[in-house]
Amino acid sequence: MTDSSIGEIPGFFAVVPAGGSGTRLWPLSRAGSPKFLHDLTGSGESLIRTTVDRLTPLCGNRLMVVTGARHAEAVREQLPELGPDDLLVEPSARESMPAIGLAAALLEQIDPEAVIGSFAADHVITRDEVFQACVREAVEVARAGKLVTIGIEPTHPATGFGYIQTGEALGLEGAPSALSVKAFVEKPDGETAEQYVHSGEYRWNAGMFVVKASVLLDMLGQYQPVMAHHLRSIANNPLRLNELWPRLTKIAIDPAIAEPAAVDGKVAVVPGAFGWDDVGDFASLASVLVESAEAPGVKVLGESELVVMQDSTGVVAPRSGRTVVALGLDDIVVVDTPDAVLVTTRDRAQDVKKIVEKLKLSGREDLT
């Protein structure tokens, strides 16, 4: 076996669920071209490309992407190294549990001892080496039979994330920082978030899970038995995918197995001290972009020469080729695309999804 601190992790398979439409980042992100396909950091690489590049040192070519039929071609274009069996195409969106569960059922057949790690395609992570060290610890805990999550050390009392309440140290060899999980808790209000951060017992829930494929399917068998049966049936006979997929419950992995398994003492957490952001809205986007050297307080996603800001601050994404000018406005968000222009403030960033809903109701689904 190779040194546990370097090189690929034997028997480790990475799973990258690539779904959602990122409605809070409209009109940059749309149903037909969701945020994971875009460069949202100015790095020159899309979020899914950087996600795969971050995982490859750990898993090598043992990587599987799960996405919808609408996005499969774009994913293959961005990830040409994927083999024919490395891209799973969902017949319809069913949330994260069926997607991750299908990958687990297929990998269980390839390697009965396989450990899988599920990592979203559209998150921004800094300090890759710290992230990779956390995954290595998580794999060690997963081999002991636990469902393992990586909990982000909170930098502020965020109300937009769920939290993980941590318990006692597990004392496992190869995983010195691993803790038991007492509970997963929903997004708190401001006062509760303050209490969580002050207590030191809570971590942000980034939706990262590491577990043996067989353990995940066995947990599904306990908490979602019909889904477990159907997923294993599909793995045994892939021709049944279109028949059985619509019967699967639409549910995320947290309520499906993580939350009940935590109550039963089957979940562990490895705290992560790396930088993390789910880039869930334009306020988050502003936090991951670099401030313009020429204009303090201004962050540009795209060609900076197309942006002219005078006595103004905020985020501008010039995507139409036109020049965007702002005068005397603070903390604004301007996204200029060929067919739609969004103007709002960072304070209202969470409400952008309401505009998408309004467009759909008014018959303008061509814009969403």
Side-chain angles (χ1 to χ4, degrees):
M1 191 170 179
T2 59
D3 188 314
S4 63
S5 65
I6 59 172
E8 295 177 15
I9 305 172
F12 174 66
F13 294 76
V15 176
V16 179
S21 57
T23 52
R24 292 186 181 91
L25 288 173
W26 181 90
L28 283 181
S29 179
R30 308 193 190 195
S33 182
K35 65 176 180 172
F36 63 82
L37 295 172
H38 296 270
D39 170 16
L40 294 183
T41 64
S43 68
E45 300 285 356
S46 70
L47 296 183
I48 193 171
R49 177 74 265 175
T50 55
T51 298
V52 169
D53 288 347
R54 186 182 307 117
L55 292 168
T56 299
L58 301 174
C59 65
N61 62 2
R62 297 183 302 278
L63 184 139
M64 193 174 278
V65 177
V66 190
T67 195
R70 194 173 184 181
H71 311 129
E73 184 177 349
V75 169
R76 282 215 175 273
E77 287 177 3
Q78 294 203 11
L79 305 173
E81 71 272 25
L82 290 179
D85 297 327
D86 297 336
L87 181 64
L88 299 184
V89 181
E90 302 172 288
S92 59
R94 312 302 290 172
E95 297 284 356
S96 63
M97 188 68 260
I100 298 166
L102 177 59
L106 293 167
L107 292 172
E108 181 187 39
Q109 290 196 333
I110 295 171
D111 180 358
E113 295 299 312
V115 175
I116 67 169
S118 173
F119 306 94
D122 55 5
H123 293 179
V124 172
I125 287 174
T126 57
R127 302 179 68 198
D128 283 2
E129 70 287 350
V130 179
F131 164 80
Q132 290 161 356
C134 288
V135 175
R136 293 179 188 282
E137 284 200 43
V139 170
E140 291 300 313
V141 183
R143 286 185 172 137
K146 295 279 191 178
L147 172 64
V148 192
T149 186
I150 296 177
I152 311 301
E153 294 184 12
T155 57
H156 61 281
T159 58
F161 305 138
Y163 285 71
I164 301 160
Q165 185 181 14
T166 63
E168 300 298 318
L170 295 181
L172 286 176
E173 185 177 352
S177 64
L179 307 168
S180 64
V181 169
K182 290 182 178 178
F184 290 84
V185 293
E186 294 300 317
K187 299 174 183 179
D189 58 29
E191 182 179 348
T192 304
E194 291 269 9
Q195 293 171 358
Y196 285 171
V197 174
H198 181 71
S199 74
E201 289 185 15
Y202 291 81
R203 300 291 183 272
W204 287 339
N205 180 8
M208 303 178 188
F209 291 95
V210 180
V211 62
K212 289 180 70 172
S214 59
V215 170
L216 184 143
L217 269 296
D218 289 345
M219 285 185 176
L220 264 181
Q222 180 178 356
Y223 304 118
Q224 301 283 332
V226 174
M227 184 182 296
H229 175 74
H230 287 338
L231 290 173
R232 279 182 161 141
S233 297
I234 294 169
N236 287 324
N237 183 2
L239 294 177
R240 300 193 68 189
L241 175 64
N242 289 328
E243 170 201 349
L244 296 177
W245 191 260
R247 304 181 191 179
L248 302 180
T249 303
K250 271 190 177 182
I251 189 169
I253 188 172
D254 297 70
I257 62 171
E259 292 170 8
V263 173
D264 291 340
K266 299 177 181 179
V267 184
V269 60
V270 173
F274 49 87
W276 170 84
D277 201 297
D278 70 348
V279 202
D281 56 32
F282 286 108
S284 292
L285 179 63
S287 70
V288 301
L289 290 173
V290 177
E291 194 169 277
S292 170
E294 296 80 21
V298 178
K299 296 186 176 183
V300 178
L301 181 60
E303 300 177 58
S304 58
E305 60 269 23
L306 293 175
V307 178
V308 179
M309 303 272 274
Q310 180 69 42
D311 300 326
S312 300
T313 60
V315 182
V316 182
R319 293 300 180 91
S320 71
R322 293 180 293 234
T323 298
V324 177
V325 181
L327 173 62
L329 297 171
D330 291 326
D331 238 7
I332 60 167
V333 174
V334 181
V335 182
D336 182 29
T337 71
D339 62 350
V341 179
L342 170 72
V343 182
T344 185
T345 63
R346 284 180 64 177
D347 281 346
R348 298 298 299 274
Q350 283 276 325
D351 295 331
V352 171
K353 67 175 183 178
K354 296 178 182 178
I355 292 296
V356 177
E357 294 166 2
K358 191 170 185 177
L359 286 168
K360 289 179 180 178
L361 289 172
S362 64
R364 296 306 309 274
E365 291 196 355
D366 57 306
L367 291 175
T368 65

